[in-house]
Every structure is written in C-alpha cells, then in structure tokens.
Amino acid sequence: MSERLKCPSCGNAFTWWRKQLLGPARKIKCSACGAQVSVSKVYVLPVIVLVIFAIWVPQFLLPRIGALHSGAIFLIILLLTMACHHYFVPLVVRSKTD
C-alpha cells in the first residue's frame, strides 16, 4: 500500500477515492484509531489552482477550438489534478480521539 494513503497516526490504509474527495476543510475518521484525517492546507493550494485552471481554460477556449477539444483539455487537466493530489498532498491528523 502506498504511503500516501496511510493514516499518519496509525498506518491504516484509506482508499484512493477517499483521499481524492478530501480537501483542507473536510475530515474523515480513521476506522482503526479514530483520528480525524485531512489533507495538508499548504500542499493542497497548487491543486486548488489546477482545479480552477481546469474549469476556466476550457470555457475560455470553447469559442475558439470547439466543445470536443475543450472537453479533452478539461479531462487532461482534471487527471493531472488528481495525480498531483495523490502524489504531492500528504494526509495529516487534524484531531485525535482516544
């Protein structure tokens, strides 16, 4: 299991999708230790910028290159964003319940 998907408190594994759905304001509870786990606020900022970029760029280019190409650009940027979120944004413990 990838270190990027392990609870920073106990090492319990989260699924890839659970991490993808996390943001700096959202916490999930670790089923093994009860810690409230989220993603790092600092490291997620570039990913948030990529999400905004993924939304804005295809809309800007739509009249120039058409819907099909704009949709393809959106999907490419979205996949890049998901990869960056997985590889570069660490999980952190927000609060621990004993």
Side-chain angles (χ1 to χ4, degrees):
M1 179 57 54
S2 172
E3 289 294 320
R4 295 166 198 71
L5 298 175
K6 290 186 178 178
C7 173
S9 179
C10 70
N12 184 43
F14 291 105
T15 64
W16 184 82
W17 278 111
R18 282 191 84 186
K19 183 178 179 190
Q20 287 297 315
L21 297 174
L22 280 177
R26 183 167 185 261
K27 299 181 278 193
I28 55 175
K29 186 176 182 179
C30 177
S31 59
C33 68
Q36 296 290 322
V37 179
S38 185
V39 292
S40 170
K41 292 178 183 178
V42 175
Y43 289 97
V44 82
L45 289 176
V47 175
I48 292 171
V49 170
L50 274 175
V51 169
I52 293 168
F53 192 71
I55 294 168
W56 179 77
V57 167
Q59 289 179 358
F60 176 73
L61 294 176
L62 183 62
R64 292 173 177 80
I65 63 173
L68 183 63
H69 290 103
S70 291
I73 291 170
F74 171 76
L75 287 177
I76 290 168
I77 297 172
L78 185 65
L79 290 173
L80 176 65
T81 301
M82 292 170 77
C84 287
H85 191 271
H86 175 70
Y87 287 108
F88 300 119
V89 180
L91 292 171
V92 295
V93 175
R94 294 283 179 219
S95 63
K96 182 154 175 117
T97 55
D98 294 321

